[in-house]
Structures are given as structure tokens and as C-alpha cells.
Amino acid sequence: MPIATQDSWKHLPAPAQREPLHFQGRYTADEYARLQQGFVPKEMEDKWFIYLHDGWLRLHRSWTGNWIYALRLQQDGDAWTVTDSWVNRDPEQYRLTDAEYDRDSLQRMLQWLIEGPAV
């Protein structure tokens, strides 16, 4: 499967209105390799475009291109750790405002990505 890049799908730049997400995560080298592959939508049901660029895992909604979540990943020994994160808080792009919900949702999405989305 090809690695997703910023040129793989349409997307918008980072929103001006953001909130620190305080997401915590630590990933093995194998898990990081899977996150690094990202995800390019293939059909209408695929709701996310995910790619790694400049150390940031970027999660965009596939239909609108809105950038919803960002995670800064840095190598820490033989693992990779989330050192920074934010969530979009522009109400024109993303209406939810519950950070706990966002952290849980993001955790589920990352687990889905690591386990390998159906192809």
C-alpha cells in the first residue's frame, strides 16, 4: 500500500481556532510505521484522510478537507511519543467542543489505523 502524502487528497490548511488536545500516546516502531502509512480515502464511506508530514500526523475530513486533529510524534528511544496535539475549534469546520470525546475518538481512529483498515 502506498504511503499517504499531503498531495494524495484535497485538504485545507490548519485552522486559526485550535485547542490543545493533551492527547497522550506512545507507539512501537511497528505501530509508528503503520501510522506513517496514513490513509487515503477510496470511497464515499471513507471519512478521513490521514498523513504524516514534518513530524505531524494530520487528520482531515475527506469530504471537506477540514483539518480536525494533529499529533506531533517524536522518536523516544525505540518508540514514538506524542509530544503535542491539537483539535480544530473553528465552529464553521468542526462543531464538537468536548475534548474528552475528541481524545477518545482520536484513540479509536489511531487504533483502527494501526490495526489496518480494510482494503
Side-chain angles (χ1 to χ4, degrees), residues 11-93:
H11 61 281
L12 297 176
Q17 294 175 266
R18 298 179 280 203
E19 176 183 340
L21 193 53
H22 306 293
F23 185 87
Q24 296 181 359
R26 186 171 172 85
Y27 304 98
T28 66
D30 288 341
E31 291 170 332
Y32 176 79
R34 186 59 196 104
L35 293 173
Q36 188 178 28
Q37 274 193 302
F39 181 78
V40 178
K42 294 171 190 63
E43 51 194 51
M44 292 296 284
E45 290 79 20
D46 295 334
K47 297 180 180 178
W48 294 94
F49 167 47
I50 305 168
Y51 66 100
L52 186 70
H53 183 74
D54 287 340
W56 286 89
L57 189 65
R58 303 167 183 221
L59 296 93
H60 296 260
R61 291 305 304 234
S62 63
W63 288 9
T64 62
N66 292 337
W67 188 350
I68 306 300
Y69 300 114
L71 298 176
R72 177 86 170 148
L73 294 161
Q74 291 186 328
Q75 192 165 15
D76 182 16
D78 60 351
W80 292 81
T81 303
V82 175
T83 59
D84 195 5
S85 60
W86 57 258
V87 59
N88 186 332
R89 287 299 184 232
D90 181 337
E92 297 295 317
Q93 296 183 4

Side-chain angles (χ1 to χ4, degrees), residues 77-118:
D78 60 351
W80 292 81
T81 303
V82 175
T83 59
D84 195 5
S85 60
W86 57 258
V87 59
N88 186 332
R89 287 299 184 232
D90 181 337
E92 297 295 317
Q93 296 183 4
Y94 186 62
R95 293 190 184 118
L96 299 179
T97 59
D98 183 342
E100 187 64 35
Y101 172 87
D102 285 316
R103 283 187 291 273
D104 290 343
S105 179
L106 182 55
Q107 180 61 43
R108 286 190 304 275
M109 233 182 313
L110 295 176
Q111 195 60 42
W112 167 82
L113 189 59
I114 288 168
E115 291 173 359

